[in-house]
Amino acid sequence: MRRTCVALFLAIVSSVALADDFVGKASVIDGDTLEMHGVRIRLWGIDAPESSQLCRGDDSLQYRCGAQAANDLDVFIARRPVNCIPVSLDPYGRTVATCSVGDADLGEWLVHNGLALDWPQYSKGRYREAQREAERAGQGLWKGSYVAPWLYRACIRASGKPSACSDDANAHP
C-alpha cells in the first residue's frame, strides 16, 4: 500500500512539473502543432488542415488553408506566453495538450474561427458548439469547401498529390 501511495505521489508531482515546463514562448509549427522548449506539442481535440492542404474559398479558388491556419494562430499568439497542460502522447511521440494564451483556449479559438475542426473522436465534442458557430457564421473553412484533414492525410498516405487530395467527393459543405 505504501509503495502505491509513493508511486501515486511521484506521478502527481512529475505531472505537475511536466505541466510547469510548458509555459513560455511557443513557435507555431502548423495549425495544430506548437513547439516549446524543444518539445512538439499537438493541440488536443482538434484537427487543422495540413500545411500543404488546399481549400476553396467562397470564390471557388483554391488557397492554402493549412498555411492560413498556422499564420493566423501565430498572429493570435503574438509572442505572448502560452500555457500548455499535457494530456497524453500521440503515436508520433508528440505531447498532446490543451494550450491557452491568457484566458483563450487555442483549440477553441482555432475551431471558432473556422481554422480547425472539432475532432470528436478525441475531444468528445468539447469544441462542437464553437464549430457550429463558425459554420453558421461562414468563418474560415466554412466560407467554401474543404476536405477534413484526417481524410486529406489518408489520401496523401495512399500516394495522392496535395492538389488531388484537397478536392474530392468528401469536400464540405
Side-chain angles (χ1 to χ4, degrees):
M1 177 69 172
R2 183 177 175 159
R3 278 189 196 186
T4 304
C5 289
V6 170
L8 182 59
F9 174 77
L10 289 175
I12 291 169
V13 169
S14 66
S15 69
V16 169
L18 183 62
D20 288 343
D21 289 343
F22 294 108
V23 176
K25 302 285 186 204
S27 299
V28 174
I29 302 302
D30 62 27
D32 54 27
T33 308
L34 306 173
E35 186 170 294
M36 191 184 313
H37 308 302
V39 176
R40 290 280 167 112
I41 301 170
R42 174 73 163 78
L43 296 176
W44 174 85
I46 67 164
D47 202 7
E50 296 298 314
S51 296
S52 60
Q53 190 169 342
L54 302 170
C55 296
R56 292 196 181 270
D58 55 0
D59 56 6
S60 295
L61 296 176
Q62 287 186 325
Y63 70 99
R64 295 184 59 214
C65 52
Q68 181 177 351
N71 291 337
D72 288 2
L73 178 59
D74 191 50
V75 168
F76 179 73
I77 291 173
R79 299 179 185 226
R80 295 181 289 170
V82 176
N83 181 21
C84 295
I85 300 170
V87 174
S88 64
L89 290 176
D90 74 5
Y92 305 102
R94 295 176 297 190
T95 297
V96 178
T98 58
C99 298
S100 59
V101 170
D103 292 333
D105 175 323
L106 295 180
E108 184 172 10
W109 183 86
L110 284 157
V111 172
H112 185 264
N113 286 285
L115 300 168
L117 299 176
D118 175 45
W119 204 351
Q121 173 182 351
Y122 299 103
S123 75
K124 307 298 182 227
R126 177 172 174 177
Y127 303 118
R128 180 184 313 124
E129 189 54 37
Q131 183 164 303
R132 284 185 188 141
E133 290 174 16
E135 184 175 9
R136 276 193 294 269
Q139 295 278 19
L141 298 170
W142 302 102
K143 287 180 183 177
S145 64
Y146 65 91
V147 173
W150 50 86
L151 296 176
Y152 175 82
R153 286 191 300 275
C155 179
I156 294 295
R157 280 193 300 271
S159 301
K161 302 284 184 239
S163 59
C165 291
S166 292
D167 278 323
D168 75 4
N170 295 317
H172 296 276

